[in-house]
Amino acid sequence: MIQIKWQALSVFFEQKRGEGMSYHTIQAWMALGMPHQRPSKHRLWFDPETCWKWYLDEFTVNRS
């Protein structure tokens, strides 16, 4: 599992969907349940592949 900061997560999403996201968007998604780790008050880490899977599951419109 790779752990990256939010800025790198934004770049990862930009490569996948053609658009990155702001820190405010990430905070909103975390409130919706996007997986993350907060080892301390000022550190926040994300596994990009896990977050991408969560994004697809959460925001896919045409679910089977």
Side-chain angles (χ1 to χ4, degrees):
M1 178 185 320
I2 297 171
Q3 297 290 306
I4 59 176
K5 294 181 180 181
W6 79 266
Q7 297 94 333
L9 183 65
S10 180
V11 171
F12 178 84
F13 269 69
E14 185 174 10
Q15 292 169 348
K16 291 279 198 178
R17 69 179 191 146
E19 181 179 5
M21 67 275 212
S22 71
Y23 185 66
H24 294 268
T25 299
I26 291 175
Q27 287 177 314
W29 289 358
M30 287 178 358
L32 291 174
M34 184 173 73
H36 63 282
Q37 291 185 0
R38 188 182 292 274
S40 69
K41 183 178 180 179
H42 299 288
R43 292 185 184 232
L44 194 56
W45 297 99
F46 303 91
D47 174 23
E49 292 295 338
T50 302
C51 291
W52 181 247
K53 182 183 179 321
W54 173 87
Y55 170 80
L56 293 176
D57 290 345
E58 188 71 22
F59 296 107
T60 299
V61 175
N62 297 323
R63 297 181 187 200
S64 301

Short mmCIF file of all heavy atoms in Angstrom, two decimals:
data_model
loop_
_atom_site.label_atom_id
_atom_site.label_comp_id
_atom_site.label_asym_id
_atom_site.label_seq_id
_atom_site.Cartn_x
_atom_site.Cartn_y
_atom_site.Cartn_z
N MET A 1 0.85 -1.19 0.00
CA MET A 1 0.00 0.00 0.00
C MET A 1 0.89 1.24 0.00
O MET A 1 1.77 1.38 0.81
CB MET A 1 -0.90 -0.02 1.24
CG MET A 1 -1.77 1.21 1.35
SD MET A 1 -2.78 1.37 2.83
CE MET A 1 -3.36 -0.25 3.14
N ILE A 2 0.65 2.11 -0.94
CA ILE A 2 1.38 3.37 -1.05
C ILE A 2 0.60 4.43 -0.29
O ILE A 2 -0.62 4.53 -0.41
CB ILE A 2 1.54 3.79 -2.52
CG1 ILE A 2 2.36 2.75 -3.28
CG2 ILE A 2 2.15 5.17 -2.64
CD1 ILE A 2 2.38 2.98 -4.78
N GLN A 3 1.28 5.23 0.49
CA GLN A 3 0.65 6.32 1.22
C GLN A 3 1.18 7.65 0.69
O GLN A 3 2.40 7.85 0.64
CB GLN A 3 0.94 6.21 2.72
CG GLN A 3 0.36 4.96 3.36
CD GLN A 3 -1.15 5.01 3.44
OE1 GLN A 3 -1.72 5.95 3.97
NE2 GLN A 3 -1.81 4.00 2.91
N ILE A 4 0.28 8.53 0.25
CA ILE A 4 0.70 9.81 -0.31
C ILE A 4 -0.08 10.94 0.35
O ILE A 4 -1.11 10.72 0.98
CB ILE A 4 0.47 9.86 -1.85
CG1 ILE A 4 -1.01 9.63 -2.19
CG2 ILE A 4 1.36 8.83 -2.54
CD1 ILE A 4 -1.33 9.77 -3.67
N LYS A 5 0.42 12.16 0.18
CA LYS A 5 -0.26 13.34 0.71
C LYS A 5 -1.37 13.76 -0.24
O LYS A 5 -1.46 13.29 -1.37
CB LYS A 5 0.74 14.49 0.89
CG LYS A 5 1.78 14.20 1.95
CD LYS A 5 2.72 15.36 2.10
CE LYS A 5 3.75 15.07 3.17
NZ LYS A 5 4.65 16.19 3.37
N TRP A 6 -2.21 14.69 0.21
CA TRP A 6 -3.38 15.08 -0.58
C TRP A 6 -3.01 15.70 -1.92
O TRP A 6 -3.71 15.50 -2.90
CB TRP A 6 -4.30 16.01 0.23
CG TRP A 6 -3.86 17.43 0.30
CD1 TRP A 6 -3.13 18.02 1.28
CD2 TRP A 6 -4.15 18.46 -0.65
NE1 TRP A 6 -2.92 19.34 1.00
CE2 TRP A 6 -3.55 19.64 -0.19
CE3 TRP A 6 -4.85 18.50 -1.85
CZ2 TRP A 6 -3.63 20.85 -0.88
CZ3 TRP A 6 -4.93 19.70 -2.53
CH2 TRP A 6 -4.32 20.86 -2.04
N GLN A 7 -1.88 16.44 -1.99
CA GLN A 7 -1.49 17.05 -3.25
C GLN A 7 -1.20 15.98 -4.30
O GLN A 7 -1.59 16.11 -5.46
CB GLN A 7 -0.27 17.96 -3.07
CG GLN A 7 -0.49 19.13 -2.15
CD GLN A 7 -0.06 18.85 -0.71
OE1 GLN A 7 -0.06 17.73 -0.24
NE2 GLN A 7 0.28 19.92 0.00
N ALA A 8 -0.50 14.94 -3.90
CA ALA A 8 -0.19 13.84 -4.82
C ALA A 8 -1.47 13.07 -5.17
O ALA A 8 -1.60 12.59 -6.30
CB ALA A 8 0.84 12.91 -4.20
N LEU A 9 -2.40 12.98 -4.23
CA LEU A 9 -3.68 12.34 -4.53
C LEU A 9 -4.42 13.13 -5.60
O LEU A 9 -5.01 12.55 -6.52
CB LEU A 9 -4.54 12.21 -3.27
CG LEU A 9 -5.88 11.50 -3.46
CD1 LEU A 9 -5.66 10.04 -3.84
CD2 LEU A 9 -6.71 11.62 -2.19
N SER A 10 -4.37 14.44 -5.52
CA SER A 10 -5.00 15.28 -6.52
C SER A 10 -4.39 15.04 -7.90
O SER A 10 -5.10 14.94 -8.90
CB SER A 10 -4.89 16.76 -6.13
OG SER A 10 -5.50 17.58 -7.11
N VAL A 11 -3.08 14.93 -7.97
CA VAL A 11 -2.38 14.64 -9.24
C VAL A 11 -2.79 13.26 -9.75
O VAL A 11 -3.06 13.09 -10.94
CB VAL A 11 -0.85 14.74 -9.06
CG1 VAL A 11 -0.12 14.23 -10.29
CG2 VAL A 11 -0.45 16.17 -8.74
N PHE A 12 -2.87 12.29 -8.87
CA PHE A 12 -3.29 10.94 -9.24
C PHE A 12 -4.69 10.97 -9.86
O PHE A 12 -4.93 10.38 -10.91
CB PHE A 12 -3.28 10.03 -8.00
CG PHE A 12 -3.74 8.63 -8.25
CD1 PHE A 12 -2.86 7.67 -8.73
CD2 PHE A 12 -5.05 8.26 -7.99
CE1 PHE A 12 -3.28 6.37 -8.96
CE2 PHE A 12 -5.49 6.96 -8.23
CZ PHE A 12 -4.60 6.02 -8.71
N PHE A 13 -5.62 11.70 -9.22
CA PHE A 13 -6.97 11.81 -9.75
C PHE A 13 -6.99 12.58 -11.07
O PHE A 13 -7.76 12.25 -11.97
CB PHE A 13 -7.90 12.48 -8.73
CG PHE A 13 -8.57 11.49 -7.82
CD1 PHE A 13 -7.86 10.78 -6.88
CD2 PHE A 13 -9.94 11.27 -7.91
CE1 PHE A 13 -8.47 9.87 -6.05
CE2 PHE A 13 -10.57 10.36 -7.09
CZ PHE A 13 -9.84 9.65 -6.16
N GLU A 14 -6.13 13.57 -11.21
CA GLU A 14 -6.06 14.31 -12.46
C GLU A 14 -5.64 13.39 -13.61
O GLU A 14 -6.18 13.48 -14.71
CB GLU A 14 -5.08 15.47 -12.33
CG GLU A 14 -5.04 16.36 -13.55
CD GLU A 14 -4.18 17.60 -13.36
OE1 GLU A 14 -3.46 17.70 -12.34
OE2 GLU A 14 -4.24 18.46 -14.23
N GLN A 15 -4.72 12.50 -13.34
CA GLN A 15 -4.28 11.55 -14.35
C GLN A 15 -5.39 10.56 -14.71
O GLN A 15 -5.52 10.16 -15.86
CB GLN A 15 -3.05 10.80 -13.88
CG GLN A 15 -1.83 11.68 -13.76
CD GLN A 15 -0.67 11.00 -13.05
OE1 GLN A 15 -0.82 9.94 -12.44
NE2 GLN A 15 0.49 11.62 -13.10
N LYS A 16 -6.20 10.18 -13.73
CA LYS A 16 -7.25 9.19 -13.94
C LYS A 16 -8.51 9.78 -14.57
O LYS A 16 -9.10 9.18 -15.45
CB LYS A 16 -7.65 8.53 -12.61
CG LYS A 16 -6.61 7.65 -12.01
CD LYS A 16 -6.65 6.30 -12.69
CE LYS A 16 -5.94 5.27 -11.86
NZ LYS A 16 -6.00 3.95 -12.47
N ARG A 17 -8.93 10.95 -14.09
CA ARG A 17 -10.22 11.49 -14.55
C ARG A 17 -10.10 12.81 -15.29
O ARG A 17 -11.10 13.42 -15.66
CB ARG A 17 -11.19 11.63 -13.38
CG ARG A 17 -10.83 12.70 -12.38
CD ARG A 17 -11.85 12.79 -11.26
NE ARG A 17 -11.59 13.99 -10.48
CZ ARG A 17 -12.50 14.73 -9.91
NH1 ARG A 17 -13.76 14.41 -10.00
NH2 ARG A 17 -12.15 15.80 -9.23
N GLY A 18 -8.87 13.31 -15.44
CA GLY A 18 -8.66 14.54 -16.19
C GLY A 18 -8.87 15.80 -15.36
O GLY A 18 -8.84 16.90 -15.90
N GLU A 19 -9.05 15.63 -14.07
CA GLU A 19 -9.31 16.76 -13.18
C GLU A 19 -8.83 16.40 -11.78
O GLU A 19 -9.18 15.34 -11.26
CB GLU A 19 -10.81 17.04 -13.17
CG GLU A 19 -11.23 18.19 -12.33
CD GLU A 19 -12.74 18.43 -12.39
OE1 GLU A 19 -13.46 17.64 -13.03
OE2 GLU A 19 -13.18 19.41 -11.79
N GLY A 20 -8.06 17.28 -11.19
CA GLY A 20 -7.63 17.10 -9.81
C GLY A 20 -8.71 17.59 -8.87
O GLY A 20 -9.86 17.80 -9.27
N MET A 21 -8.37 17.78 -7.60
CA MET A 21 -9.34 18.32 -6.67
C MET A 21 -8.64 19.14 -5.61
O MET A 21 -7.46 18.95 -5.34
CB MET A 21 -10.21 17.23 -6.06
CG MET A 21 -9.51 16.28 -5.16
SD MET A 21 -8.81 15.02 -6.15
CE MET A 21 -8.88 13.65 -5.08
N SER A 22 -9.40 20.06 -5.04
CA SER A 22 -8.86 20.93 -4.00
C SER A 22 -8.89 20.22 -2.65
O SER A 22 -9.54 19.18 -2.49
CB SER A 22 -9.70 22.21 -3.91
OG SER A 22 -10.98 21.91 -3.35
N TYR A 23 -8.22 20.80 -1.69
CA TYR A 23 -8.23 20.25 -0.34
C TYR A 23 -9.64 20.26 0.24
O TYR A 23 -10.03 19.34 0.95
CB TYR A 23 -7.26 21.01 0.56
CG TYR A 23 -7.15 20.39 1.93
CD1 TYR A 23 -6.58 19.13 2.08
CD2 TYR A 23 -7.61 21.05 3.05
CE1 TYR A 23 -6.48 18.55 3.34
CE2 TYR A 23 -7.52 20.47 4.31
CZ TYR A 23 -6.94 19.21 4.44
OH TYR A 23 -6.85 18.62 5.68
N HIS A 24 -10.43 21.27 -0.12
CA HIS A 24 -11.81 21.34 0.38
C HIS A 24 -12.65 20.18 -0.16
O HIS A 24 -13.48 19.61 0.56
CB HIS A 24 -12.45 22.68 0.01
CG HIS A 24 -11.80 23.83 0.71
ND1 HIS A 24 -12.24 24.31 1.90
CD2 HIS A 24 -10.71 24.56 0.38
CE1 HIS A 24 -11.46 25.30 2.29
NE2 HIS A 24 -10.51 25.47 1.38
N THR A 25 -12.42 19.81 -1.40
CA THR A 25 -13.12 18.65 -1.97
C THR A 25 -12.71 17.39 -1.25
O THR A 25 -13.55 16.56 -0.90
CB THR A 25 -12.83 18.52 -3.48
OG1 THR A 25 -13.29 19.70 -4.14
CG2 THR A 25 -13.49 17.29 -4.07
N ILE A 26 -11.43 17.24 -1.00
CA ILE A 26 -10.94 16.06 -0.29
C ILE A 26 -11.55 16.00 1.11
O ILE A 26 -11.97 14.93 1.56
CB ILE A 26 -9.40 16.05 -0.25
CG1 ILE A 26 -8.87 15.80 -1.66
CG2 ILE A 26 -8.88 15.00 0.73
CD1 ILE A 26 -7.38 15.88 -1.81
N GLN A 27 -11.63 17.14 1.79
CA GLN A 27 -12.26 17.15 3.12
C GLN A 27 -13.72 16.71 3.05
O GLN A 27 -14.18 15.93 3.89
CB GLN A 27 -12.18 18.54 3.74
CG GLN A 27 -10.80 18.91 4.20
CD GLN A 27 -10.77 20.33 4.75
OE1 GLN A 27 -11.30 21.25 4.14
NE2 GLN A 27 -10.12 20.49 5.89
N ALA A 28 -14.43 17.17 2.04
CA ALA A 28 -15.83 16.77 1.88
C ALA A 28 -15.93 15.28 1.59
O ALA A 28 -16.80 14.59 2.14
CB ALA A 28 -16.48 17.58 0.76
N TRP A 29 -15.05 14.77 0.76
CA TRP A 29 -15.07 13.34 0.44
C TRP A 29 -14.70 12.51 1.66
O TRP A 29 -15.24 11.43 1.85
CB TRP A 29 -14.14 13.04 -0.72
CG TRP A 29 -14.66 13.55 -2.05
CD1 TRP A 29 -15.84 14.18 -2.29
CD2 TRP A 29 -14.00 13.46 -3.30
NE1 TRP A 29 -15.96 14.49 -3.62
CE2 TRP A 29 -14.84 14.05 -4.27
CE3 TRP A 29 -12.79 12.94 -3.71
CZ2 TRP A 29 -14.49 14.12 -5.61
CZ3 TRP A 29 -12.44 13.01 -5.05
CH2 TRP A 29 -13.30 13.59 -5.99
N MET A 30 -13.77 13.00 2.48
CA MET A 30 -13.43 12.29 3.71
C MET A 30 -14.66 12.20 4.61
O MET A 30 -14.91 11.17 5.24
CB MET A 30 -12.26 12.97 4.42
CG MET A 30 -10.95 12.75 3.72
SD MET A 30 -9.46 13.54 4.42
CE MET A 30 -9.97 14.45 5.81
N ALA A 31 -15.45 13.27 4.66
CA ALA A 31 -16.67 13.27 5.47
C ALA A 31 -17.69 12.25 4.93
O ALA A 31 -18.50 11.72 5.69
CB ALA A 31 -17.29 14.66 5.51
N LEU A 32 -17.61 11.98 3.62
CA LEU A 32 -18.50 10.98 3.00
C LEU A 32 -17.95 9.56 3.16
O LEU A 32 -18.62 8.60 2.79
CB LEU A 32 -18.69 11.28 1.51
CG LEU A 32 -19.48 12.52 1.17
CD1 LEU A 32 -19.46 12.77 -0.34
CD2 LEU A 32 -20.92 12.38 1.66
N GLY A 33 -16.73 9.44 3.65
CA GLY A 33 -16.17 8.12 3.90
C GLY A 33 -14.96 7.73 3.09
O GLY A 33 -14.54 6.57 3.11
N MET A 34 -14.37 8.67 2.35
CA MET A 34 -13.17 8.32 1.58
C MET A 34 -12.08 7.86 2.55
O MET A 34 -11.80 8.53 3.54
CB MET A 34 -12.66 9.51 0.77
CG MET A 34 -11.48 9.14 -0.11
SD MET A 34 -10.94 10.44 -1.23
CE MET A 34 -10.16 11.56 -0.11
N PRO A 35 -11.47 6.69 2.27
CA PRO A 35 -10.46 6.16 3.19
C PRO A 35 -9.23 7.05 3.28
O PRO A 35 -8.76 7.58 2.29
CB PRO A 35 -10.11 4.80 2.59
CG PRO A 35 -10.82 4.69 1.31
CD PRO A 35 -11.71 5.86 1.12
N HIS A 36 -8.75 7.21 4.50
CA HIS A 36 -7.54 7.99 4.76
C HIS A 36 -6.97 7.57 6.10
O HIS A 36 -7.63 6.88 6.87
CB HIS A 36 -7.86 9.49 4.77
CG HIS A 36 -8.80 9.90 5.86
ND1 HIS A 36 -10.16 9.70 5.77
CD2 HIS A 36 -8.58 10.48 7.06
CE1 HIS A 36 -10.74 10.15 6.87
NE2 HIS A 36 -9.80 10.62 7.67
N GLN A 37 -5.75 7.98 6.36
CA GLN A 37 -5.12 7.75 7.65
C GLN A 37 -4.64 9.07 8.19
O GLN A 37 -4.11 9.90 7.46
CB GLN A 37 -3.94 6.78 7.52
CG GLN A 37 -4.36 5.38 7.17
CD GLN A 37 -3.17 4.45 7.18
OE1 GLN A 37 -2.04 4.83 7.44
NE2 GLN A 37 -3.43 3.18 6.89
N ARG A 38 -4.85 9.26 9.47
CA ARG A 38 -4.40 10.47 10.14
C ARG A 38 -3.54 10.03 11.34
O ARG A 38 -4.04 9.92 12.46
CB ARG A 38 -5.59 11.31 10.61
CG ARG A 38 -5.18 12.67 11.15
CD ARG A 38 -6.38 13.46 11.64
NE ARG A 38 -7.26 13.88 10.59
CZ ARG A 38 -7.14 14.99 9.86
NH1 ARG A 38 -6.12 15.79 10.07
NH2 ARG A 38 -8.01 15.29 8.94
N PRO A 39 -2.24 9.80 11.10
CA PRO A 39 -1.38 9.33 12.18
C PRO A 39 -1.13 10.38 13.27
O PRO A 39 -0.76 10.04 14.38
CB PRO A 39 -0.09 8.93 11.49
CG PRO A 39 -0.10 9.68 10.20
CD PRO A 39 -1.54 9.90 9.83
N SER A 40 -1.34 11.65 12.92
CA SER A 40 -1.21 12.72 13.91
C SER A 40 -2.11 13.87 13.47
O SER A 40 -2.69 13.85 12.38
CB SER A 40 0.24 13.19 14.02
OG SER A 40 0.64 13.88 12.85
N LYS A 41 -2.23 14.85 14.31
CA LYS A 41 -3.14 15.98 14.04
C LYS A 41 -2.81 16.69 12.72
O LYS A 41 -3.71 17.16 12.03
CB LYS A 41 -3.08 16.96 15.20
CG LYS A 41 -4.02 18.12 15.07
CD LYS A 41 -3.96 19.03 16.27
CE LYS A 41 -4.92 20.20 16.10
NZ LYS A 41 -4.89 21.09 17.26
N HIS A 42 -1.54 16.77 12.38
CA HIS A 42 -1.13 17.55 11.21
C HIS A 42 -0.68 16.68 10.03
O HIS A 42 -0.11 17.21 9.08
CB HIS A 42 -0.01 18.51 11.59
CG HIS A 42 -0.43 19.49 12.64
ND1 HIS A 42 -1.30 20.52 12.37
CD2 HIS A 42 -0.14 19.58 13.95
CE1 HIS A 42 -1.52 21.22 13.47
NE2 HIS A 42 -0.83 20.66 14.45
N ARG A 43 -0.96 15.40 10.08
CA ARG A 43 -0.57 14.52 8.97
C ARG A 43 -1.79 13.79 8.46
O ARG A 43 -2.63 13.33 9.21
CB ARG A 43 0.48 13.51 9.42
CG ARG A 43 1.78 14.18 9.73
CD ARG A 43 2.82 13.14 10.05
NE ARG A 43 4.03 13.84 10.45
CZ ARG A 43 5.21 13.60 9.91
NH1 ARG A 43 5.35 12.68 9.00
NH2 ARG A 43 6.25 14.27 10.32
N LEU A 44 -1.85 13.69 7.15
CA LEU A 44 -2.98 13.04 6.49
C LEU A 44 -2.45 12.27 5.29
O LEU A 44 -1.74 12.83 4.45
CB LEU A 44 -3.96 14.12 6.03
CG LEU A 44 -5.35 13.72 5.61
CD1 LEU A 44 -6.07 12.95 6.71
CD2 LEU A 44 -6.15 14.98 5.28
N TRP A 45 -2.75 10.98 5.22
CA TRP A 45 -2.22 10.13 4.18
C TRP A 45 -3.34 9.38 3.47
O TRP A 45 -4.35 9.05 4.07
CB TRP A 45 -1.23 9.12 4.75
CG TRP A 45 -0.04 9.76 5.37
CD1 TRP A 45 0.16 10.00 6.70
CD2 TRP A 45 1.11 10.26 4.71
NE1 TRP A 45 1.37 10.61 6.89
CE2 TRP A 45 1.97 10.79 5.68
CE3 TRP A 45 1.49 10.31 3.37
CZ2 TRP A 45 3.19 11.36 5.36
CZ3 TRP A 45 2.72 10.89 3.05
CH2 TRP A 45 3.55 11.40 4.05
N PHE A 46 -3.11 9.10 2.19
CA PHE A 46 -4.10 8.41 1.36
C PHE A 46 -3.42 7.32 0.56
O PHE A 46 -2.30 7.49 0.09
CB PHE A 46 -4.74 9.39 0.37
CG PHE A 46 -5.40 10.56 1.03
CD1 PHE A 46 -4.70 11.73 1.25
CD2 PHE A 46 -6.72 10.49 1.44
CE1 PHE A 46 -5.30 12.82 1.86
CE2 PHE A 46 -7.33 11.57 2.05
CZ PHE A 46 -6.62 12.74 2.26
N ASP A 47 -4.13 6.21 0.36
CA ASP A 47 -3.70 5.18 -0.58
C ASP A 47 -4.44 5.49 -1.87
O ASP A 47 -5.68 5.39 -1.92
CB ASP A 47 -4.06 3.79 -0.05
CG ASP A 47 -3.77 2.71 -1.07
OD1 ASP A 47 -2.94 2.92 -1.97
OD2 ASP A 47 -4.42 1.65 -0.99
N PRO A 48 -3.75 5.91 -2.93
CA PRO A 48 -4.44 6.39 -4.13
C PRO A 48 -5.36 5.36 -4.78
O PRO A 48 -6.47 5.69 -5.20
CB PRO A 48 -3.31 6.80 -5.07
CG PRO A 48 -2.09 6.14 -4.54
CD PRO A 48 -2.30 5.96 -3.08
N GLU A 49 -4.94 4.10 -4.86
CA GLU A 49 -5.78 3.08 -5.50
C GLU A 49 -7.04 2.82 -4.69
O GLU A 49 -8.13 2.64 -5.25
CB GLU A 49 -5.00 1.77 -5.70
CG GLU A 49 -3.88 1.89 -6.72
CD GLU A 49 -4.38 2.15 -8.15
OE1 GLU A 49 -5.55 1.86 -8.47
OE2 GLU A 49 -3.57 2.66 -8.95
N THR A 50 -6.94 2.81 -3.37
CA THR A 50 -8.10 2.62 -2.51
C THR A 50 -9.05 3.80 -2.64
O THR A 50 -10.27 3.63 -2.71
CB THR A 50 -7.66 2.44 -1.04
OG1 THR A 50 -6.78 1.32 -0.95
CG2 THR A 50 -8.85 2.21 -0.12
N CYS A 51 -8.50 5.00 -2.70
CA CYS A 51 -9.33 6.20 -2.85
C CYS A 51 -10.02 6.21 -4.22
O CYS A 51 -11.18 6.62 -4.33
CB CYS A 51 -8.50 7.46 -2.65
SG CYS A 51 -7.96 7.70 -0.95
N TRP A 52 -9.31 5.78 -5.25
CA TRP A 52 -9.90 5.72 -6.59
C TRP A 52 -11.07 4.73 -6.62
O TRP A 52 -12.12 5.02 -7.17
CB TRP A 52 -8.84 5.35 -7.62
CG TRP A 52 -9.38 5.31 -9.01
CD1 TRP A 52 -9.52 4.21 -9.80
CD2 TRP A 52 -9.87 6.42 -9.79
NE1 TRP A 52 -10.06 4.57 -11.01
CE2 TRP A 52 -10.29 5.91 -11.02
CE3 TRP A 52 -10.00 7.77 -9.55
CZ2 TRP A 52 -10.83 6.72 -12.02
CZ3 TRP A 52 -10.53 8.58 -10.53
CH2 TRP A 52 -10.95 8.06 -11.75
N LYS A 53 -10.87 3.56 -5.99
CA LYS A 53 -11.95 2.58 -5.93
C LYS A 53 -13.14 3.15 -5.18
O LYS A 53 -14.29 3.00 -5.60
CB LYS A 53 -11.47 1.29 -5.27
CG LYS A 53 -12.54 0.22 -5.22
CD LYS A 53 -12.06 -1.03 -4.51
CE LYS A 53 -13.12 -2.11 -4.43
NZ LYS A 53 -14.46 -1.71 -4.17
N TRP A 54 -12.89 3.84 -4.06
CA TRP A 54 -13.96 4.46 -3.29
C TRP A 54 -14.70 5.48 -4.16
O TRP A 54 -15.93 5.53 -4.17
CB TRP A 54 -13.41 5.13 -2.03
CG TRP A 54 -14.45 5.91 -1.31
CD1 TRP A 54 -15.30 5.44 -0.35
CD2 TRP A 54 -14.78 7.30 -1.48
NE1 TRP A 54 -16.15 6.44 0.06
CE2 TRP A 54 -15.85 7.59 -0.62
CE3 TRP A 54 -14.29 8.31 -2.29
CZ2 TRP A 54 -16.42 8.86 -0.53
CZ3 TRP A 54 -14.86 9.56 -2.21
CH2 TRP A 54 -15.91 9.82 -1.34
N TYR A 55 -13.95 6.31 -4.87
CA TYR A 55 -14.54 7.33 -5.74
C TYR A 55 -15.47 6.69 -6.77
O TYR A 55 -16.59 7.14 -6.97
CB TYR A 55 -13.42 8.12 -6.42
CG TYR A 55 -13.89 9.04 -7.51
CD1 TYR A 55 -14.43 10.28 -7.19
CD2 TYR A 55 -13.78 8.67 -8.85
CE1 TYR A 55 -14.87 11.13 -8.20
CE2 TYR A 55 -14.22 9.52 -9.85
CZ TYR A 55 -14.76 10.75 -9.52
OH TYR A 55 -15.19 11.59 -10.52
N LEU A 56 -15.00 5.65 -7.44
CA LEU A 56 -15.82 4.98 -8.45
C LEU A 56 -17.07 4.37 -7.83
O LEU A 56 -18.17 4.49 -8.39
CB LEU A 56 -15.01 3.90 -9.18
CG LEU A 56 -13.86 4.40 -10.04
CD1 LEU A 56 -13.09 3.22 -10.61
CD2 LEU A 56 -14.33 5.34 -11.14
N ASP A 57 -16.93 3.75 -6.67
CA ASP A 57 -18.09 3.16 -5.98
C ASP A 57 -19.07 4.22 -5.52
O ASP A 57 -20.28 4.04 -5.61
CB ASP A 57 -17.63 2.34 -4.77
CG ASP A 57 -16.90 1.06 -5.14
OD1 ASP A 57 -16.98 0.64 -6.32
OD2 ASP A 57 -16.24 0.48 -4.25
N GLU A 58 -18.56 5.33 -5.06
CA GLU A 58 -19.41 6.39 -4.49
C GLU A 58 -20.12 7.22 -5.55
O GLU A 58 -21.26 7.63 -5.37
CB GLU A 58 -18.55 7.30 -3.60
CG GLU A 58 -19.33 8.32 -2.82
CD GLU A 58 -20.17 7.74 -1.69
OE1 GLU A 58 -19.85 6.63 -1.22
OE2 GLU A 58 -21.14 8.40 -1.27
N PHE A 59 -19.44 7.49 -6.66
CA PHE A 59 -19.96 8.46 -7.63
C PHE A 59 -20.34 7.88 -8.98
O PHE A 59 -20.68 8.63 -9.88
CB PHE A 59 -18.96 9.59 -7.82
CG PHE A 59 -18.74 10.39 -6.57
CD1 PHE A 59 -17.56 10.29 -5.84
CD2 PHE A 59 -19.73 11.22 -6.08
CE1 PHE A 59 -17.37 11.02 -4.69
CE2 PHE A 59 -19.55 11.97 -4.92
CZ PHE A 59 -18.36 11.85 -4.21
N THR A 60 -20.31 6.56 -9.14
CA THR A 60 -20.76 5.96 -10.39
C THR A 60 -22.26 6.05 -10.47
O THR A 60 -22.97 5.59 -9.57
CB THR A 60 -20.29 4.50 -10.51
OG1 THR A 60 -18.86 4.49 -10.48
CG2 THR A 60 -20.77 3.87 -11.79
N VAL A 61 -22.77 6.63 -11.54
CA VAL A 61 -24.21 6.85 -11.68
C VAL A 61 -24.93 5.59 -12.13
O VAL A 61 -25.97 5.22 -11.59
CB VAL A 61 -24.46 7.99 -12.70
CG1 VAL A 61 -25.95 8.16 -12.95
CG2 VAL A 61 -23.82 9.28 -12.21
N ASN A 62 -24.37 4.90 -13.11
CA ASN A 62 -25.04 3.72 -13.67
C ASN A 62 -24.57 2.46 -12.94
O ASN A 62 -23.73 1.72 -13.41
CB ASN A 62 -24.71 3.58 -15.17
CG ASN A 62 -25.25 4.75 -15.95
OD1 ASN A 62 -26.33 5.24 -15.64
ND2 ASN A 62 -24.51 5.20 -16.94
N ARG A 63 -25.14 2.23 -11.79
CA ARG A 63 -24.80 1.04 -11.02
C ARG A 63 -25.64 -0.13 -11.49
O ARG A 63 -26.79 0.01 -11.81
CB ARG A 63 -25.02 1.28 -9.54
CG ARG A 63 -24.13 2.37 -9.00
CD ARG A 63 -24.34 2.57 -7.56
NE ARG A 63 -23.56 3.74 -7.14
CZ ARG A 63 -23.23 3.99 -5.91
NH1 ARG A 63 -23.62 3.19 -4.95
NH2 ARG A 63 -22.52 5.05 -5.61
N SER A 64 -25.04 -1.32 -11.49
CA SER A 64 -25.76 -2.53 -11.91
C SER A 64 -26.65 -3.04 -10.82
O SER A 64 -26.43 -2.91 -9.69
CB SER A 64 -24.77 -3.62 -12.29
OG SER A 64 -23.93 -3.17 -13.32
#
